[in-house]
Amino acid sequence: MKTALITGITGQDGMYLAEHLLSLGYRVYGMIRGQANPKRPQLERIIPNIELVEGDLLDQGSLIAAVEITGPDEVYNLGAISFVPLSWKQAELTADTTGLGVLRMLEAIRIVNKNIRFYQASSSEMFGKVRETPQSEQTPFHPRSPYGVAKTYGHYITVNYRESYGIYAVSGICFNHESPRRGLEFVTRKISNAVARIKLGKQRELLLGNLDAKRDWGFAGDYVKAMHLMLQQDEPEDYVIATGKTHSVLDFVQQAFGRVGLDWREYVRTDPKFMRPAEVELLVGDPSKAERKLGWRATTSFEELVAMMVEADLALERRQRD
Ligand code: NAP
Ligand code: G4F
């Protein structure tokens, strides 16, 4: 039986990855932070077989202890400040958590056991102001937010520990992936939840920022399978994980409102407060390396993803009173 340690266990990807690894027969430890993390009870209810260990990406000693206590074969570093707008407001915390947190986990592995395989959650945000389309493993980075800059540091320090110490350390350069578990602050879930609430008469309008931005949106449940596959190869390499298709925020809006038979123009307004100091206008990934070498491909279409999220939010909002 293999053992995995996952940081970011309370997040969207952490939960899907834990479920996937448990289904493969892994022993799964999730690293949880804080003295009374409010997400802990829900996590333990949804994934009863998860084992939790305390630790924080800001605390080197806690990471060394977490790795020593759990004795993992594989570490998946999914923990981060992951919301791009927050990274302008708390740039230093983002650099510390999303950037230096990667270094601290790599140091824990180097000190405790260099044979542990390491996955880093890199991001298409590193491409930022894109130099070419579609974006592949060879596309140069030009991050546009403190988050993107921090992820770029995390990406290169992972390459560096692979090259310096021979650690099996890899990055998945994941494009946007969503699900009913996506945080309400991200645009897809903000839209799907608002559509459900408007349909049920609980909300009157939806305020959004840039409707023209384009993203390569996939389903998180598909993407965590690629993360696992990346740690099962003979050679450690980085991979772009994407669907290869792009849609605008407006496409998502139209699809989501259409799903419940409403005309989006009656409900959606733009508000400058949701515009960003520097925007990433277009992302679309080239997943051909992952398809060729990992045998991985996204299986959920854009239309299926929108439908899944709207239906889940309708069910959730019907259960909740306000
Ligand atoms: P998410 O839902 O925002 O989850 C972030 C996780 O990081 C939470 O579990 C959070 O724990 C944890 N965390 C925050 N600060 C921490 C700290 N100081 N120490 C330890 N853990 C900390 O993110 P996600 O969507 O699952 O994404 C997973 C990873 O993939 C992130 O690194 C993200 O940047 C990256 N990524 C995501 C996408 C995407 O489209 N989803 C695409 C590319 C890359 P708390 O509950 O305690 O706050
Ligand atoms: O959903 P978003 O906040 O995701 P964003 O910024 O693309 O970042 C996500 O994907 C990255 C991978 O590329 C991850 F690394 C990162 O951790 C995160 O998971 O915004 C998507 C787009 C942006 O262009 C934004 O300007 O939607 C636009 N948008 C328009 N109105 C909005 C809104 N975004 C949010 N969050 N809220 C709005 O009201």
Side-chain angles (χ1 to χ4, degrees):
M1 185 200 274
K2 277 194 194 174
T3 299
L5 172 62
I6 303 172
T7 72
I9 193 65
T10 55
Q12 170 189 258
D13 291 8
M15 292 176 72
Y16 280 110
L17 179 63
E19 287 170 336
H20 181 55
L21 296 180
L22 285 166
S23 78
L24 297 175
Y26 275 66
R27 180 171 193 176
V28 179
Y29 286 96
M31 196 183 83
I32 194 151
R33 66 179 175 140
Q35 62 185 44
N37 192 311
K39 297 180 194 159
R40 184 177 189 136
Q42 191 198 16
L43 175 66
E44 288 177 321
R45 184 173 45 76
I46 296 173
I47 314 177
N49 292 331
I50 192 85
E51 296 177 65
L52 297 176
V53 61
E54 287 164 0
D56 193 307
L57 288 167
L58 299 174
D59 183 337
Q60 179 71 73
S62 76
L63 300 183
I64 293 171
V67 173
E68 276 177 341
I69 290 164
T70 60
D73 300 287
E74 299 169 2
V75 170
Y76 295 85
N77 185 40
L78 309 185
I81 303 274
S82 78
F83 188 44
V84 173
L86 184 66
S87 77
W88 276 284
K89 293 179 180 158
Q90 299 185 15
E92 188 179 339
L93 182 66
T94 303
D96 210 354
T97 310
T98 305
L100 285 177
V102 187
L103 171 67
R104 293 190 190 100
M105 185 53 93
L106 284 163
E107 274 292 273
I109 288 171
R110 185 182 70 79
I111 291 163
V112 177
N113 176 6
K114 286 204 276 285
N115 293 321
I116 294 168
R117 294 192 170 200
F118 175 77
Y119 173 87
Q120 166 58 15
S122 282
S123 167
S124 50
E125 269 287 308
M126 301 187 304
F127 296 123
K129 190 170 176 164
V130 298
R131 306 280 179 88
E132 62 179 2
T133 295
Q135 296 86 50
S136 75
E137 293 80 4
Q138 273 71 51
T139 304
F141 298 140
H142 185 149
R144 294 273 278 171
S145 61
Y147 168 83
V149 173
K151 279 286 177 191
T152 305
Y153 174 81
H155 183 84
Y156 280 127
I157 200 67
T158 301
V159 174
N160 183 259
Y161 269 54
R162 178 165 79 217
E163 295 178 353
S164 301
Y165 302 112
I167 294 172
Y168 190 115
V170 301
S171 286
I173 306 174
C174 286
F175 284 62
N176 299 51
H177 44 280
E178 319 293 314
S179 74
R181 289 177 179 162
R182 189 61 144 148
L184 286 162
E185 65 274 34
F186 298 96
V187 77
T188 55
R189 184 78 199 291
K190 182 175 172 181
I191 296 167
S192 66
N193 187 255
V195 163
R197 290 177 62 81
I198 289 169
K199 181 70 180 174
L200 298 176
K202 295 176 165 189
Q203 186 172 326
R204 295 166 67 88
E205 63 175 1
L206 168 60
L207 299 178
L208 292 171
N210 180 10
L211 299 180
D212 297 325
K214 291 183 146 186
R215 291 291 183 275
D216 180 332
W217 277 299
F219 171 49
D222 288 343
Y223 285 45
V224 298
K225 294 177 182 164
M227 297 173 192
H228 171 253
L229 286 170
M230 286 177 62
L231 292 195
Q232 315 311 312
Q233 306 306 304
D234 291 338
E235 296 299 326
E237 292 181 43
D238 304 324
Y239 294 85
V240 160
I241 305 298
T243 71
K245 297 192 174 72
T246 194
H247 293 89
S248 66
V249 173
L250 183 57
D251 292 337
F252 199 105
V253 165
Q254 289 174 327
Q255 190 74 28
F257 276 89
R259 177 85 195 166
V260 296
L262 294 177
D263 182 351
W264 68 273
R265 278 169 291 232
E266 293 177 25
Y267 306 98
V268 175
R269 310 272 174 271
T270 52
D271 185 331
K273 97 172 168 212
F274 295 112
M275 300 291 184
R276 298 178 181 188
E279 176 64 285
V280 173
E281 300 290 350
L282 165 73
L283 290 176
V284 54
D286 172 3
S288 54
K289 179 180 174 187
E291 290 175 6
R292 196 174 64 253
K293 292 194 149 184
L294 302 179
W296 178 89
R297 72 175 60 231
T299 61
T300 310
S301 72
F302 176 72
E303 292 75 17
E304 289 168 337
L305 177 66
V306 178
M308 178 201 304
M309 293 179 71
V310 171
E311 293 305 326
D313 271 318
L314 277 169
L316 178 75
E317 291 296 334
R318 282 195 184 105
R319 285 197 302 274
Q320 287 177 353
R321 295 190 76 197
D322 61 338

